[in-house]
Structure formats: C-alpha cells, structure tokens
Amino acid sequence: MAADNPNTSEVPIPPTGAERSTRSCRYCIVGCGYEVYKWPVGEEGGPSADENALGIDYPAGYGEWPSPNMHEIIQENGQEYHVLFKPDTEYPVNEGGSHSVRGGTQAQSLYSPNNEDYDDRLKQPQIRIGGDLVTVDWDTAIEAWARATEIATENGENPNGYGQKLYFYQFIENTFAGTKLCHDVIGSPNWGGHNRPALTTEVPGLVNAGLAQWSYAYEDAAEADTIVLAGADPKENQDVIFSKWINEEGDADIVFIDPRKKFTANYAENNGGIHLQVNEATDPILLNAIARHIVDQGWHDEGFIEEWVMDNRETIDEEGWYQEEFGLTPEEYYDLLDDSRYAPENAAETTGVPAEDIREAAELIAQPDADETNTLFMLEKGLIWGWSHENTGAMANLTLITGSVGRPGTGITRAGGHQEGFWTNGAEGDAIAERSTQTFDGEKVEGVTVPPNTVERVRDGEIKHWHVIGNDPARHSYATQDLRNSIRERTSGAQPQTADIDEIERAFRERIENGGMVVTHQELYPNTTTQYADILLPAKAVESGEGGDYHRWNGERRFRQYQGFMEGPSGAKEDWEIFSMMGQRLGADDMDWESSREIFNLIAEEYPGAGGDHSLEGIAPAAEANDMTPAEYMETVEEGVQQPIYEENGEVQGTPRIHAPDGEREVMDHRFHTSTGEAIFQRVDWDRVVDPDDGTTIGDVYEQLSPGEDEIWVTNGRLQHLWQNMYTHQRLEYVQKRFPQNILQLHPNDAADREIEAGDLVEIVNDDVLNIHGENTEGSFTAVAYVVDEDDAAQGQAVSEGLAYTYWLYPDQVNNDVNPAYLDPANPNPGYKYGKGRIRRLGESEVKDEMSFKPMNIAPE
Amino acid sequence: MLVGSVGDLGDGTVETFEYPLEGTRNFLTRIEGAAWGGVGSDGDIVAYNGLCTHMGCSVEGLVTPEQEMAGPCSCHYTTFDLSKGGMVVSGAATTDLPQVRLEIEDGDIYATGIDGLVYGYRNNLRDGTPIEAATEE
C-alpha cells in the first residue's frame, strides 16, 4: 500500500528544461542559497541524473532530497506551474545542502490562488469608507495618501506630521525609495524601523566603541576556540550557523549565556563549554564580572589595548556626544570593574551564576594558555532588547580586553535578524538634525538631538499621517495594548462616506484637525495594524520571488542578487513603485524609476556607500569594465561578494572580515571606526543615571521591572519553526501543526502552584506595565502552557522557577502587550525582553491533544 | 507484510525491518503510552521510517521508547515525537517522520502502508524494488 497522505505522497521531479533561478532564503540573516525550479504542471523529469534538472539519481542521497514541503504549485495567467525551492548545495553559506525548517519550507509560503490559506492576500488597494475597507483603484489610493500627507504636513510646512514605519531589512531598492520619500521628499525625521521606534542602532555600545555589528566571516565560527553566545541562540534562529559552521565545521567550546537551559545550553555543557544561567535582566553585572576576573588575572591583552584602544580622555570627548557620555579610557574602565558589585562572589548573588562558573567562563574566553585568544563573541536580541547600551557595550569591552578581533576565529557579531538591505541617500541626517523633537540629557551632555521615538509621536499627536509598510506596530511595539488604545482613539474620528477623493479629503482633514490620525498600511496580508488602516495598499512579496530582481546582504556581509521568478497578485505593486508614485505626486522629479534594477544601478553608481562596512563601490567600475550595467554584472556574481566591495582587475573583490590588523584591507581608512582608528571602552555601569531629573539608575529601573508578589518574569524569544509575526507561518500547515497557538513555557512548580498542566490555556496579566513616559499601563495575552514533567526533563527544565518564556510575536497572542515602555534615553531601543505578569489558568485549550509537549532541549551527550 | 509479534515486543524493545522497498529501513517499538496510529491493546506499538527527514541520516539507533522520542538525529539534531505521528519536537526537518501503518492479527504485527514520504524518494513505491518481490525471489 502506498503512502496515502495527499500532501506528501509524491514530489514531482523537475525536467531538464525547467526554468532555474537562484536566490537566498526569504527569512533569516544567515542567507542560505536556494535554487528555484519552475516548470509547467503536466511535465516531469525522470529519476536518473541525466533526466532531471537536479542532476541527481533517485532515491536522492544525503542533502539532495527535495522534500514535499519544498514544493508548491502556483498559477500565472491561467497556467499552473510547479515550483521547487531546493537548498543550493554549491552556495558557500550552506554548501552541502544544509537548511533550516523555515528555509526548507519556504516554497509552501508562495502565493497561490489555489491555496485557500492565502485567500486573504491583499490584492487591490482599499480605502475605509463608512467603517469598512472598500476596493478602489490605484490612482484614487495614491491621491488619498497624498492628500492625507498634505493635510498632516500643512502642505509641507510641518513635515513632522508625516511618520513612516518601514522595515530596516528587506532590499536596498525598496528601503532607498522609502527613506527618500520620508526624509528627502517630505523632509520628516519621524521614521521608525520595523522593530524599533527610531532610526537608531540596535547595538549602541558596540558601534560607539568603533566596532562593526556584522564584522565576521562565517568561517570564523568554525575556526574559533571559544564562542560566546550571549542573548543569542543560533540553534533557534540561525540554524545553519549552528549546524554547519559551529557544529559540523567547528570545535569551539561554547559559553552560553541565557536565562533558559535550552538545547544550546545542554549542547555547550555536553561539549566542553559552559552554560551561565543568568537571572533575567542582570547581564551587565555578569559580563562585567567576567571582564573583571580576566583583568584581575592579568589575562587581558595589554599590547592590543595599548595599540588599539583610545586612552586619551580629551580625544574620547571630541569623538562625539555618545563617546563623551559613555566612552572610557582603559584606566577608567578598570576602575569601574573594581566596583565590589562586579566581584564574582557578589555578582553571583545578583545574577544567579555561581562565582566558579564566572571564573571558568572568563578562562574559556581569555584562553590564558594560548599564544593568541581566538574567541568569537556573538550577541543578539537577548541583549539588544534589554539594557541596550550596557549589554552591547559589555560585549564590546570583552572583545577589546581580549584583543580577539579581526583575525580568523575571532570577532564580534550580531547573531540574528533579517538579511539586511537598509540603504538611504543620506537625507535622514539633516531631517533629524533640523526637525527632531527629541533630545537626550545625560550625566555629562545636555540637550543632544536624537532620532525621534515615533511610537511616542503617534501617542502624543505629532504624527498625523502614519504610513506603515511591511510591519505591524500595533502588535510588535512595546506596551502595545496601550498603544492600540491610542491608535484606536486617534483613528476613530471622521471617516469618508464615499470614494470621491474630495469627500476622502474632507473626512481626513476633519479628523486630523481634531487631533486624529490617518493610517496608511502597505502590506502583503492583513494584520492587527490593518484594523486601523484608512488606506490599504497591496505590495508584492519580493522576498519570496515576486516581481523584479533585488539585492541585499547576509550576516557575513555577503551581497548578492535575488532573481524574481513569479508575478504574485496582479493588483499588487512592488514597494519601490508605490513610493515612486507617491513621491512623484508630491513633486519629486527624480523618482520616475521603471524597475528595481534601475534603482540598483542608481545606488551602485551614485550612492555606493564608499568607505563603509557595507560599501558597494567596486560594483559600478567592475560592471563598466565588463560592459554591463551594475544589475547585469551582479547577475554573474553567483556566490555573492562580501562587503566592503572593491574592484580589482575588472572584477569585484570582497572583504572577509572587518577590523583586520594593519597590512590588510581596512574600512574607512581605520581598523576601528573612530577618528583615530582606535576603539573605545564603553561605560557599563549598574549605577548609571538614566533620568537626571530624579536620579533614577539602571538598578532602580531593574527593581521597578522585577516581578512583584504572585508575578513571574515573562520573557520571550524565538522558536525555530516560526518567523517574525508569522505572516507566512500562520498559513503553513506543517508549521501550524507544531505550534497551533503560542506557548508559555513554565516550570512544573510554577504550573502546579496555579493548577496548570501542559495544554491548558493560560492568561498572562501585567497590571503594572512600566512606562517611562507617563503613568504605568496594563496589558495581557494568552498562550498554551508548555510544561514538561520532571520525569521527562532528561536534561533539565528549560525554565527555572520564577521565569516563563513565550514566542515573541504569535498573532493574537502577543507578549508585547505586557512588555515595558522602558527605552534607553540615549538610544531609544525598547526593553522588550523584560516582561512580567501574573499567570492564571483559563481552561483546557483546544489544542491540548494536538500539540507535542516533549522537551525541546535534548542535546547529544 | 509481517514485521513483528506483539508477544516479542517488550518494553524498551526496538526492532527494525525493511518496507515497502528493499533498503527502506523502519523501526518498530512500544512506547510508554498511547500513540496516534498506535496498535495493540494499549495503542502503544508504533513503527516509523528510520531516516531523518532533514538530510537523510539514520535515527534508528536513537530511539528512546521511554521518552517516546526519536533523536536527536546525529547530524543536525532533529527530534521526533513518536506519540504524535512523528511530529518534529525540535529541529530542522521539513516533514514529520514517516509513520508506518500497522495492523494486528492473531498477535502478529503487519505493516500496511506509510504516511508521509520517505527521505530520498519522490514516491514511496518508485525507484526501487518492492520488498514483496524480493521475498518471492
């Protein structure tokens, strides 16, 4: 009897004539290569290598197999096509065919009118008329957007009335067009990225030390002797970095710093490393204690520090306001570490990490018996969305005291997020300097203009037309339950009663003049923000291959072309085209682009970012030498090229890693990104004053954030099956089967105290959501309890008592509703990780018998 | 196809068999509790294909009946829940572990089909020699 599951019974083989294109995965920063095969339904290749486009003999061998979820049938112009998304076994990132569950199932995320799960894809522009979204034509939609912008900005007199919430990631063609619209055409400083409310760096303590956030090559993970994973778990969110570069190719001891004893914690401990199970929100103390022990033992690299770390106070002060406020000379840094708070025994009390483990980790990191320290430092959202400056600055400091940077097997890097494609024409600097209404007062500097927090400018009324593109701020901001209340109130005024453009303008004007706001939402699928949208604009899913060709880079700055291979909904448009229509309507005479390739050629030739970490300056000269356009030339660079990109002998040349020592190619004419080329230690101080008006310190805020009676910490993060707000994965059967609802990992004792068992639906309530901008607020969400019995927890409980964990952005079950409105005043990044709440059982969930509640942290021993 | 006997399948036992093609290796085991598709008086007898659906490494030797899991696979550490149809607990596999359908008659356990595509194949019955044919030879 044959397999009879209709979804998995057979995968067709592409014939030799199948159309082949290449691209990287639509999801995470690793950027694995994929081959895409497309051929008409009704045709099929044979099982011998010479009979199929894959060039393999069936049954397929190790790493060769196209699984059922690598296949989809799409429809274009009445013709059905098979599409196969297969890991590219030749691509340097995932050579051999490694892939994650997300990348390996991305074919299933392709839009297909045959799949009812995708029926709600946005296909036509809509405007909310009389309370409901009504289909309109593109001209009406763009004109409505333009009139809302003109009203909000008082015909350009007050650009701040327009706010844009765009993605930081995606592709350079679209971010270039979008930021040009906001900063250059309209002139507004009110720009927020998809994951944070201002145009700020995610890693302030790192970049202001003169370090690059993406500085390493993946091979460094294979060559390192020690890897520090702090607030970062590649097993969960960078699968191929873990499985191929750390595990298969490498042999490093891992120092895993995380509040949870998850798979990677057990993997580290089973393989010569150590897990530092840090108490929630105490990372700066732990990282300082490790640094103190390294210095106390004399394991720090004094030669490196003397040559490459800035030691003149005046020079540091002249570097910029951030360095004046937070930069330290080596002596100042050592004095800070000398605070008794950072002695291992004292740090152990606060952080929960035994002093002997702190010392062991310090030795693993410093490698005192080695000729050179080969430690790679990796950090991500567990540090970034917390004490943003302190956590990232502490990792920068560890990198600098060990001198472990710029050589194979060393470095510091972020370890998560999207593939990157943020590009601008430079207009944002003037817009922020001239018009930002947000300033910073520190302990040393006063009145410094900083990029505005746009979420607060939605709340306080400065933004009157909010243009949201490719994200869902009503769900993934901080303290979102309260934010939604503000958005609901500000969009609840006058509404158009017909699609007549003058009636639309009348209603928008009446609403805005009464303190309200118009929301434009540019998206693929409806989400929570769509509920408040007045203008809804359907976009092409270019990251999945719809539309034209695009460019971006991955976590080792490997820059490549992504070739479009399908049309998507005919009524949707690529984001750059929508921005182009808007810009031209407002009078821009330099946005009349015809294609994404034309924008890429413009960037490569006129805005290549020369001199920076991500410089593209070699592309245009190499293209010219080959008598091609830049886009045509990049089509030939099949393996991509690592930024900064130079031209030599008529071809592009890449840069494997940043911060290489003298004698190797340097970025910005310096080894480190400061005026002198020396890096700068960062002040990481639990006693730092974050509110000069009342003297509130980091430690004080920690006390305010800490759970009270009957409450526990509720932190959040990734699950490897799920991507972001699950705009694809909530529609993908295979993934939904594993996680049909959000989960809340609970320790069995915490569960028992509340009469909760695995599979119960629970509510998490925080009636004291910290708000540094005003009165504290309330928030709540629901999830399914994930409780592992002690008998089944073969390698320990993932969460300790007093800590719960949940996926960070499950649709309709979003923990951001309980997360605090604490943002670093110097660099307004939110502390999303520091949630808390009371947990109570609502009842038995509908999925109790469908989900697996087995332990997810079993690692090889 | 006869693949085992209820009487011979004690707690913790893991047996292997080929089905439906020559070289398609599966394992038969009795787990702690009732399983989706489980047979026997307690519904705790299950069989699955032995190749991890991520990249094709074997999980035959990594079955823990008392934990009701297979894995973590030695290559990239996917684990499968044997009580829930081979659902992935953790890991990068892009399909469940194919489950062999079982029936019991007079204490003998028979394989009657497979739910899910076996690693490497486009169809579980193509590109190989059916095990029945091999038996006849």
Side-chain angles (χ1 to χ4, degrees):
Chain A
M1 181 176 173
D4 60 1
N5 181 332
N7 294 320
T8 57
S9 59
E10 185 149 341
V11 179
I13 303 177
T16 52
E19 176 186 321
R20 175 185 180 272
S21 59
T22 62
R23 57 193 300 108
S24 283
C25 176
R26 70 182 296 173
Y27 296 118
C28 89
I29 182 73
V30 179
C32 296
Y34 281 82
E35 297 176 286
V36 182
Y37 295 91
K38 178 181 176 184
W39 72 100
V41 168
E43 298 178 13
E44 186 165 4
S48 301
D50 60 354
E51 297 173 324
N52 63 64
L54 305 176
I56 62 172
D57 291 313
Y58 276 76
Y62 174 84
E64 291 181 335
W65 185 54
S67 90
N69 281 322
M70 294 179 185
H71 169 252
E72 177 66 286
I73 294 175
I74 65 168
Q75 190 180 62
E76 289 179 349
N77 300 319
Q79 170 68 53
E80 288 189 324
Y81 294 90
H82 292 291
V83 175
L84 202 63
F85 249 90
K86 184 177 174 300
D88 188 342
T89 56
E90 306 291 321
Y91 195 63
V93 170
N94 56 321
E95 192 174 0
S98 284
H99 58 276
S100 68
V101 59
R102 296 184 301 257
T105 58
Q106 65 186 301
Q108 293 279 303
S109 72
L110 301 179
Y111 170 70
S112 169
N114 297 326
N115 187 337
E116 62 183 20
D117 292 337
Y118 300 98
D119 281 352
D120 60 344
R121 177 72 187 267
L122 303 179
K123 305 179 190 73
Q124 301 294 337
Q126 294 171 278
I127 292 180
R128 193 174 302 278
I129 295 171
D132 291 322
L133 289 164
V134 174
T135 298
V136 297
D137 60 286
W138 271 101
D139 285 346
T140 299
I142 295 297
E143 183 64 21
W145 176 92
R147 295 199 186 186
T149 302
E150 288 167 344
I151 297 166
T153 63
E154 301 170 49
N155 292 315
E157 292 296 311
N158 177 21
N160 291 24
Y162 170 83
Q164 189 181 89
K165 183 87 169 159
L166 181 64
Y167 31 73
F168 263 110
Y169 59 98
Q170 232 241 20
F171 294 95
I172 65 172
E173 293 83 355
N174 282 333
T175 56
F176 180 87
T179 55
K180 177 175 171 58
L181 178 70
C182 180
H183 300 304
D184 197 6
V185 178
I186 298 172
S188 175
N190 285 329
W191 190 96
H194 64 286
N195 62 1
R196 55 196 189 274
L199 184 49
T200 51
T201 172
E202 286 183 51
V203 285
L206 196 154
V207 299
N208 286 294
L211 294 163
Q213 62 177 326
W214 304 107
S215 67
Y216 84 140
Y218 290 166
E219 65 193 46
D220 292 332
E223 296 183 29
D225 295 321
T226 298
I227 298 177
V228 179
L229 296 171
D233 185 1
K235 175 66 165 60
E236 211 72 71
N237 71 340
Q238 291 195 306
D239 195 289
V240 169
I241 295 297
F242 175 80
S243 62
K244 176 178 174 60
W245 294 101
I246 294 177
N247 181 55
E248 266 183 21
E249 308 274 342
D251 189 31
D253 297 330
I254 292 176
V255 176
F256 189 66
I257 303 174
D258 197 288
R260 290 192 299 149
K261 186 174 173 58
K262 48 202 304 208
F263 174 96
T264 309
N266 289 325
Y267 176 89
E269 297 213 320
N270 296 347
N271 291 279
I274 189 169
H275 174 214
L276 307 183
Q277 194 165 8
V278 62
N279 287 339
E280 186 69 17
T282 62
D283 304 79
I285 295 173
L286 176 64
L287 295 170
N288 270 4
I290 293 171
R292 173 184 169 127
H293 189 66
I294 289 172
V295 173
D296 280 352
Q297 296 300 309
W299 296 339
H300 54 309
D301 188 338
E302 292 184 273
F304 174 88
I305 294 166
E306 185 172 343
E307 184 174 5
W308 291 112
V309 177
M310 203 177 284
D311 63 357
N312 184 292
R313 184 69 249 176
E314 286 184 15
T315 309
I316 292 173
D317 290 344
E318 290 169 2
E319 193 65 28
W321 70 266
Y322 201 98
Q323 288 78 8
E324 182 180 356
E325 180 73 17
F326 298 113
L328 297 179
T329 67
E331 290 308 313
E332 290 170 334
Y333 176 54
Y334 301 147
D335 285 347
L336 186 149
L337 294 179
D338 210 30
D339 186 321
S340 61
R341 188 193 304 281
Y342 307 121
E345 270 70 18
N346 295 337
E349 289 188 18
T350 318
T351 65
V353 178
E356 59 268 29
D357 288 358
I358 293 173
R359 295 191 179 96
E360 182 181 342
E363 187 165 358
L364 283 169
I365 291 169
Q367 300 165 15
D369 297 330
D371 292 336
E372 282 186 318
T373 301
N374 290 323
T375 294
L376 173 65
F377 298 87
M378 304 179 78
L379 70 152
E380 195 46 43
K381 298 295 191 282
L383 295 190
I384 289 168
W385 300 143
W387 312 115
S388 183
H389 166 77
E390 282 72 21
N391 289 343
T392 60
M395 289 289 279
N397 291 343
L398 280 171
T399 305
L400 297 177
I401 61 170
T402 55
S404 184
V405 62
R407 293 177 281 106
T410 71
I412 183 166
T413 183
R414 279 185 49 201
H418 299 79
Q419 287 163 63
E420 300 262 315
F422 186 67
W423 213 264
T424 77
N425 72 353
E428 67 278 9
D430 286 345
I432 292 168
E434 294 172 12
R435 301 192 186 92
S436 172
T437 53
Q438 185 154 337
T439 57
F440 166 69
D441 292 332
E443 295 176 67
K444 294 184 177 179
V445 301
E446 285 185 8
V448 177
T449 298
V450 295
N453 175 340
T454 52
V455 165
E456 293 309 308
R457 274 138 191 85
V458 166
R459 290 186 210 256
D460 70 16
E462 181 174 307
I463 292 174
K464 298 173 175 61
H465 179 196
W466 203 21
H467 184 183
V468 178
I469 306 109
N471 63 102
D472 186 12
R475 278 293 186 190
H476 63 58
S477 300
Y478 52 85
T480 40
Q481 192 159 311
D482 186 62
L483 175 62
R484 285 198 301 280
N485 291 336
S486 294
I487 298 172
R488 186 179 301 110
E489 183 181 341
R490 293 199 63 213
T491 55
S492 63
Q495 273 194 8
Q497 298 303 308
T498 79
D500 178 83
I501 191 64
D502 292 328
E503 163 62 8
I504 293 169
E505 178 182 338
R506 179 204 64 77
F508 287 176
R509 185 180 300 281
E510 180 181 331
R511 190 192 307 174
I512 288 172
E513 286 179 351
N514 284 288
M517 176 174 72
V518 171
V519 173
T520 293
H521 200 197
Q522 192 168 318
E523 258 297 359
L524 307 177
Y525 291 96
N527 56 37
T528 301
T529 300
T530 313
Q531 295 173 18
Y532 309 100
D534 296 289
I535 303 169
L536 189 56
L537 304 175
K540 297 269 193 192
V542 298
E543 66 274 27
S544 74
E546 294 175 6
D549 301 330
Y550 287 85
H551 299 80
R552 63 178 171 185
W553 62 91
N554 73 354
E556 59 175 356
R557 307 168 321 286
R558 185 175 296 277
F559 186 82
R560 70 168 296 177
Q561 185 172 93
Y562 297 64
Q563 293 153 4
F565 64 87
M566 62 183 284
E567 294 177 357
S570 58
K573 294 184 184 296
E574 296 166 60
D575 282 334
W576 65 264
E577 187 178 4
I578 301 171
F579 296 137
S580 167
M581 295 164 71
M582 293 168 169
Q584 291 185 78
R585 165 59 182 77
L586 292 186
D589 60 5
D590 55 355
M591 294 181 75
D592 56 341
W593 307 302
E594 295 292 331
S595 69
S596 55
R597 282 189 169 225
E598 185 178 342
I599 300 175
F600 177 71
N601 293 338
L602 172 70
I603 291 170
E605 289 165 354
E606 296 188 28
Y607 303 98
D613 295 331
H614 300 288
S615 169
L616 308 176
E617 69 175 317
I619 294 174
E624 186 176 0
N626 287 277
D627 198 24
M628 297 177 181
T629 67
E632 288 169 346
Y633 179 76
M634 283 306 298
E635 194 174 337
T636 70
V637 186
E638 293 185 353
E639 295 190 349
V641 55
Q642 285 175 275
Q643 303 159 310
I645 300 167
Y646 300 86
E647 180 266 339
E648 285 179 8
N649 303 319
E651 302 295 342
V652 289
Q653 299 293 327
T655 308
R657 61 185 60 78
I658 312 291
H659 307 311
D662 279 350
E664 296 184 33
R665 178 174 287 144
E666 295 168 359
V667 179
M668 297 165 69
D669 298 328
H670 293 301
R671 184 173 182 186
F672 298 104
H673 302 344
T674 62
S675 60
T676 67
E678 299 164 300
I680 301 173
F681 281 127
Q682 297 295 298
R683 180 184 175 200
V684 177
D685 187 354
W686 200 245
D687 295 325
R688 169 192 162 200
V689 173
V690 291
D691 186 343
D693 290 339
D694 62 11
T696 299
T697 65
I698 293 281
D700 295 333
V701 177
Y702 171 76
E703 294 300 325
Q704 294 172 42
L705 291 171
S706 296
E709 193 173 351
D710 299 331
E711 292 180 325
I712 62 176
W713 286 105
V714 180
T715 192
N716 63 82
R718 303 278 173 175
L719 293 167
Q720 65 190 133
H721 282 67
L722 309 180
W723 181 246
Q724 308 298 60
N725 69 347
M726 297 173 56
Y727 68 101
T728 56
H729 288 144
Q730 65 182 303
R731 298 171 173 84
L732 207 160
E733 180 183 347
Y734 175 67
V735 172
Q736 276 293 300
K737 183 169 60 175
R738 178 68 185 98
F739 295 111
Q741 292 193 36
N742 200 358
I743 62 165
L744 187 80
Q745 280 186 332
L746 279 172
H747 189 278
N749 293 349
D750 284 329
D753 288 347
R754 294 160 178 80
E755 299 182 333
I756 292 168
E757 61 182 48
D760 284 346
L761 189 66
V762 299
E763 185 180 33
I764 301 90
V765 180
N766 183 355
D767 55 14
D768 188 32
V769 178
L770 179 68
N771 179 15
I772 61 168
H773 305 102
E775 296 294 315
N776 289 2
T777 61
E778 296 178 84
S780 65
F781 72 102
T782 66
V784 174
Y786 201 111
V787 185
V788 177
D789 290 341
E790 289 290 8
D791 291 345
D792 292 333
Q795 295 189 14
Q797 291 289 344
V799 288
S800 53
E801 285 187 72
L803 176 71
Y805 172 87
T806 188
Y807 181 69
W808 75 288
L809 194 54
Y810 202 104
D812 303 328
Q813 294 180 303
V814 186
N815 78 99
N816 285 323
D817 285 10
V818 307
N819 292 340
Y822 172 76
L823 301 95
D824 191 309
N827 188 83
N829 286 344
Y832 296 124
K833 297 291 180 184
Y834 300 161
K836 66 176 179 180
R838 286 180 285 108
I839 318 292
R840 71 184 183 100
R841 181 180 187 273
L842 289 178
E844 197 169 277
S845 78
E846 300 299 318
V847 299
K848 185 168 187 169
D849 296 327
E850 298 173 18
M851 284 183 67
S852 173
F853 296 100
K854 298 294 184 193
M856 294 186 279
N857 64 351
I858 305 298
E861 298 195 57
Chain B
M1 193 186 86
L2 180 65
V3 298
S5 159
V6 173
D8 293 341
L9 200 63
D11 290 344
T13 303
V14 181
E15 297 179 356
T16 59
F17 61 95
E18 294 189 6
Y19 174 86
L21 302 179
E22 285 184 34
T24 303
R25 292 175 61 87
N26 311 284
F27 63 85
L28 175 72
T29 189
R30 185 194 293 269
I31 64 173
E32 282 286 297
W36 294 358
V39 297
S41 56
D42 296 325
D44 55 359
I45 297 173
V46 291
Y48 289 88
N49 183 259
L51 290 185
C52 175
T53 52
H54 180 226
M55 290 179 72
C57 299
S58 175
V59 295
E60 269 180 24
L62 300 164
V63 178
T64 50
E66 68 281 7
Q67 299 285 331
E68 303 180 336
M69 307 227 300
C73 173
S74 57
C75 290
H76 304 96
Y77 310 137
T78 295
T79 52
F80 300 91
D81 185 342
L82 303 183
S83 71
K84 293 276 194 313
M87 184 186 294
V88 170
V89 176
S90 170
T94 58
T95 68
D96 299 342
L97 199 61
Q99 183 169 12
V100 181
R101 292 188 176 190
L102 301 176
E103 290 181 7
I104 293 181
E105 190 174 322
D106 297 332
D108 291 329
I109 306 169
Y110 293 87
T112 62
I114 297 184
D115 286 323
L117 200 59
V118 171
Y119 184 91
Y121 287 85
R122 57 170 166 160
N123 179 306
N124 287 341
L125 290 179
R126 297 175 76 177
D127 310 323
T129 305
I131 198 79
E132 289 87 352
T135 303
E136 288 171 8
E137 290 170 4

